[in-house]
Amino acid sequence: AYIERHDLWVYDFDRGETTRVTEIGQPGIGRVPIGAFTRPDIEVSRFEWSANGRYIAFETVVRTEVRRVPIPSYLHGDEPFLHEVRRPYPGDRDLVRNLSIFDTRDQATRRLDLAHPRQRLFHEFSWAPQRPELLIHQGSDVGEDRWLRIASAETDEIRELWHDHRPRRIYPIFRALWRADGDGVIFIGDTDDHYRLYGLELEGDQPQILTAGHYDVAGSYSSAYVDIGGPDNALFFVATRKSPYERHLYRLESDREPVRVTQRAGVHEPVVSPDGRHFASVMSSDSQPAELYVGAVTGDTASTRVTHSPPPEFDHYDWIEPRYVTFPSRIDDYTLHARLVLPRDMQPGKAYPVLIGNIYSNTVRNAWDSDRPTTNLQQRLALTGDYIHMQVDLRGSVGYGVDFREAFQGDWGRDDLEDLISAVDYLGTLDYVDSDRIGLWGNSYGGLMVLAALFKHPGVFAGGVAGAPATDIWHFTGFDQHLTRRPDTHPEIFADGSLLDLGDKLADPLLIIHGMHDDIVPYKTTLMMADKLMLLGKDFDLISMPNAAHWWAEPEHYARYTFGKLEDFFRRHVPPGPQPSHSQPISPAQDSTP
C-alpha cells in the first residue's frame, strides 16, 4: 500500500494489479510552497496494515472548511500577490479527521463511527499482533481529554478502553501501543506527578504504573520512544532517569528496575531492532553534533559511531563544556534549571556580560542544537571571551514533572517571565557577572518573552532581540489550543493574552526580526506591534526578511545577515568582554551535574 496524489493505493503482487482505494485527494490552495500550512485540502495522511494482511486502517483529513488566511508574497512572481493558506485560529473547529478500514478481501471501505471528528485528533492507531482489532489513541483538540478505544475490523464494534480528563494538560505528546501478547496496552500517561509508563489490561481495572521515580518518560522535543522487543518482550523507552538534561534509552523486563541501554552522555533518539538485540541512536551532546551510533541493548558495552558528519576542522576546536546550575524561583517553590557557557580562563576580579537565549522551553539539554545556530553562536562568543551564555528551562519544560509543565497553561509572559527574572537574580550572585550587561533573545514564544521582559521590567536588561514574536493570542493557530483553549470556554485567557496592550514602559534597546512569509506567527502582528510602539513614540529597530517563513534565518544568506545583525546589536548595547567587577556575590554557584 502507498499514498500517491493524496489518495491510498494498494498493489496486489499475485494479480499484478493496482487498486485505488480512495478518490478524495485534493491539493492545497497555496501557490507558494513555503511555510507550515501547505498541506493538501483533502488527503489520506497515514495508514497501517493489520497483522493478517487483510485490513488497512487509514486516516483522512479534510481542510476545505478551514479559514483561508491571505499572506502577501512579494518575490514569487512578476508582481506581488496574496498567497492563501488554510490556517485555523483558536476557537475554529473546521478541520475534520476520520478513520476508516479497507477490507482487501471484499474491496470495501467502512468509516469508523467516532464522535466529534472536528474536535478530536488521532495520536496513533495500530493493529493488535494476533487479532484484527485496532487500538485507537485519540485526544481532544484542546488537549484536556485522551481516549483509548478498541475497534473490531470484523464487527465494526468500538469500545472504550480508557478515558482521562485533565483540565490543565498542555502539549499532549503521548504514545500508546499493544502489549506483545495483544491482551493489554502500554501507554505514556500523566495522571501521576511525573510522565510515566502505564499498563492496562483489555478486560482489566485501572492502569498500573510501570515506571516509578522522580523522572519523566519523555523525549527531548516530542513524544518519547516506546517499543517492545526481544525474546523476553522487554519494554524499551526513553526517559530523563539519569538527568533532566539528558535522554537515554532504557530496558524494562517484568517488574525489574529499568536498565540504561545508552551509555554515552547526551540526548538520544533511538530505535531498537525488531529482534530486540541492538539499537541505533542519533545522539548529540554539548560538544558533539548529532551522529549515528549502534550498539547492543545489554548496555554493558560502548556503542559504535557510524557517521562522522562535521568537517575535519571541527575537531580542531576545543569546545567548551557548559555548566548546569539550579536556583530557586522568586515566586514559588519550584527549582529552576539553567545551562551556562562560560569563557575559558576568565580574568579574576573582572565581570562579563551575559546573553540569555535562545529563550524557549526545553533548552537546558546536553545536546548540540543542530536545527538552529544557537550552539554555534554560544560557543563562538564564549571562545572569544566576549560573552557568557545562559539558557533556562522555563515552566512548561519537560523533565521536571507534571506540575511544572502544566504551570505554563494559559500563563505565558507572566509566571514564566518570573522564571527569567529569577535567572537574573541568580546571575547577580556571581561575582564574574556584570548585571548591567545582560541581554536576551528568542524566537516565536521566545520572542514573546523578550517583549514581555522589556515591557514589564524596564531597566533589567541592556537590550533584547525578539524574533517572530507571538504577540497576540487571537492570531495564534488552532493547533495552539492545547495552550490557549478557546475564547468561548476560557475568555479569561484571551482577555489578557496580547502584548499589543503593552509597550508604554519600553525603555531599553529592542530589535525585532520577522519573516514576511510567516504563516505561524503572522508578520501582520509584528506590524501591529511596531505601529503601536511608533504611536507611543518608542525607539526600536525592525528587520523584515522578504522571503522567510517562521524561522527567519533560512536560507543560508538570511542566516548570515540576521545573525550578523543580532550580534552587532548586542555588541552595541551589551558591550562584550571583561570589565572591572563592582559587585559582590550573594551566594556561591550551585552546580547540577548532568
Side-chain angles (χ1 to χ4, degrees):
Y2 59 94
I3 295 174
E4 184 177 283
R5 298 193 298 275
H6 317 309
D7 276 309
L8 179 65
W9 303 70
V10 174
Y11 178 77
D12 189 315
F13 284 91
D14 293 332
R15 295 183 297 169
E17 296 178 355
T18 299
T19 301
R20 184 175 182 175
V21 177
T22 64
E23 297 187 32
I24 61 172
Q26 184 173 318
I29 61 174
R31 287 190 286 159
V32 179
I34 184 172
F37 293 92
T38 57
R39 300 295 302 172
D41 274 6
I42 306 177
E43 68 170 330
V44 175
S45 60
R46 50 183 164 165
F47 64 90
E48 293 286 339
W49 279 98
S50 64
N52 62 8
R54 176 177 173 178
Y55 302 101
I56 303 176
F58 62 93
E59 179 189 25
T60 59
V61 182
V62 179
R63 302 180 178 88
T64 53
E65 297 180 42
V66 175
R67 183 192 303 262
R68 300 170 72 111
V69 176
I71 298 178
S73 182
Y74 292 92
L75 301 182
H76 289 90
D78 295 334
E79 298 293 342
F81 68 91
L82 286 180
H83 163 55
E84 289 188 316
V85 296
R86 301 278 189 191
R87 185 191 185 279
Y89 285 5
D92 289 354
R93 296 180 173 91
D94 296 333
L95 191 145
V96 182
R97 303 176 180 89
N98 281 296
L99 197 60
S100 300
I101 295 177
F102 174 68
D103 188 337
T104 61
R105 185 174 300 175
D106 61 16
Q107 303 288 293
T109 299
R110 304 184 306 278
R111 178 180 292 176
L112 296 179
D113 186 16
L114 295 165
H116 306 295
R118 296 178 185 271
Q119 296 173 241
R120 297 181 184 178
L121 60 145
F122 297 102
H123 293 305
E124 301 167 283
F125 52 92
S126 59
W127 291 97
Q130 297 90 0
R131 303 180 303 278
E133 291 185 338
L134 189 68
L135 171 64
I136 304 171
H137 180 196
Q138 278 189 294
S140 62
D141 57 358
V142 294
E144 294 181 356
D145 291 270
R146 292 177 66 194
W147 295 269
L148 293 176
R149 294 188 171 91
I150 305 293
S152 170
E154 296 176 339
T155 66
D156 289 343
E157 175 190 3
I158 302 174
R159 62 188 180 92
E160 185 174 289
L161 183 62
W162 179 71
H163 171 227
D164 175 56
H165 177 71
R166 192 177 184 91
R168 294 191 68 200
R169 178 179 290 130
I170 65 171
Y171 297 127
I173 44 179
F174 296 116
R175 294 292 315 282
L177 69 159
W178 290 94
R179 212 167 61 194
D181 59 12
D183 292 331
V185 172
I186 307 294
F187 66 92
I188 297 175
D190 59 354
T191 59
D192 196 42
D193 57 347
H194 281 269
Y195 295 86
R196 306 194 186 282
L197 286 178
Y198 294 76
L200 182 63
E201 300 288 337
L202 295 190
E203 306 296 340
D205 300 320
Q206 293 298 312
Q208 301 299 310
I209 294 177
L210 303 179
T211 56
H214 297 291
Y215 65 91
D216 287 339
V217 175
S220 186
Y221 306 107
S222 58
S223 301
Y225 174 82
V226 183
D227 201 359
I228 297 173
D232 298 326
N233 294 321
L235 183 61
F236 295 91
F237 62 95
V238 171
T240 66
R241 193 166 188 257
K242 177 180 181 287
S243 164
Y245 318 132
E246 299 192 6
R247 298 293 184 271
H248 285 280
L249 177 65
Y250 292 85
R251 184 181 74 253
L252 179 65
E253 298 176 359
S254 82
D255 295 329
R256 302 175 186 175
E257 282 290 304
V259 176
R260 197 172 105 207
V261 174
T262 50
Q263 300 301 314
R264 296 178 185 271
V267 169
H268 291 261
E269 299 179 43
V271 175
V272 175
S273 61
D275 62 5
R277 297 175 57 192
H278 298 87
F279 73 91
S281 175
V282 175
M283 190 279 293
S284 73
S285 67
D286 286 324
S287 56
Q288 179 64 59
E291 300 287 359
L292 177 63
Y293 295 81
V294 296
V297 300
T298 54
D300 54 4
T301 58
S303 57
T304 300
R305 180 174 172 179
V306 177
T307 59
H308 293 75
S309 302
E313 294 80 9
F314 180 86
D315 294 327
H316 296 166
Y317 290 93
D318 187 15
W319 302 108
I320 297 173
E321 291 291 339
R323 292 172 55 192
Y324 292 83
V325 299
T326 60
F327 47 88
S329 163
R330 70 202 299 262
I331 61 171
D332 49 37
D333 295 331
Y334 287 130
T335 296
L336 302 174
H337 296 249
R339 179 178 182 267
L340 287 174
V341 182
L342 303 175
R344 282 201 177 89
D345 303 322
M346 291 195 299
Q347 302 176 29
K350 297 295 181 69
Y352 290 74
V354 179
L355 300 182
I356 302 177
N358 183 14
I359 299 171
Y360 217 84
S361 307
N362 309 311
T363 58
V364 182
R365 297 290 179 271
N366 185 0
W368 192 277
D369 186 358
S370 58
D371 294 330
R372 300 287 186 264
T374 304
T375 303
N376 291 330
L377 179 71
Q378 292 174 341
Q379 289 280 350
R380 183 170 60 81
L381 296 183
L383 284 170
T384 60
D386 290 337
Y387 292 98
I388 296 171
H389 287 266
M390 184 185 212
Q391 289 176 287
V392 185
D393 265 355
L394 308 174
R395 59 194 67 209
S397 297
V398 181
Y400 312 103
V402 172
D403 288 342
F404 186 78
R405 186 169 193 182
E406 292 185 352
F408 181 66
Q409 204 277 311
D411 196 46
W412 50 89
R414 288 185 281 274
D415 285 356
D416 53 349
L417 177 57
E418 294 301 319
D419 293 342
L420 272 184
I421 303 303
S422 299
V424 174
D425 291 344
Y426 166 74
L427 290 172
T429 69
L430 307 177
D431 57 358
Y432 51 79
V433 167
D434 186 345
S435 296
D436 293 329
R437 290 186 292 157
I438 298 178
L440 72 169
W441 72 280
N443 190 62
S444 193
Y445 161 65
L448 177 156
M449 291 298 291
V450 170
L451 292 183
L454 299 186
F455 290 172
K456 296 183 178 182
H457 293 275
V460 172
F461 300 96
V465 178
T471 57
D472 184 40
I473 187 174
W474 295 95
H475 287 85
F476 285 12
T477 79
F479 303 113
D480 293 321
Q481 289 183 146
H482 54 267
L483 298 174
T484 67
R485 301 309 195 250
R486 299 191 186 100
D488 59 334
T489 60
H490 292 71
E492 71 283 358
I493 294 178
F494 285 79
D496 191 26
S498 176
L499 292 179
L500 295 173
D501 297 329
L502 306 177
D504 56 302
K505 295 182 180 180
L506 176 66
D508 306 306
L510 167 65
L511 169 63
I512 302 175
I513 307 174
H514 208 140
M516 297 173 66
H517 214 279
D518 191 343
D519 57 355
I520 295 179
V521 176
Y523 177 65
K524 168 187 175 181
T525 58
T526 279
L527 294 183
M528 295 165 64
M529 189 79 256
D531 193 61
K532 171 70 177 293
L533 294 177
M534 292 176 190
L535 182 65
L536 293 171
K538 301 299 181 179
D539 184 30
F540 65 98
D541 295 312
L542 171 63
I543 295 176
S544 301
M545 303 308 294
N547 199 31
H550 188 50
W551 179 230
W552 32 266
E554 287 181 354
E556 184 177 343
H557 65 287
Y558 279 13
R560 290 195 300 267
Y561 179 80
T562 52
F563 273 87
K565 289 294 187 181
L566 180 147
E567 183 175 337
D568 177 69
F569 174 88
F570 283 130
R571 289 188 179 278
R572 284 186 289 117
H573 300 292
V574 189
Q579 294 183 5
S581 175
H582 301 293
S583 61
Q584 295 296 322
I586 299 173
S587 61
Q590 183 179 0
D591 285 332
S592 181
T593 303

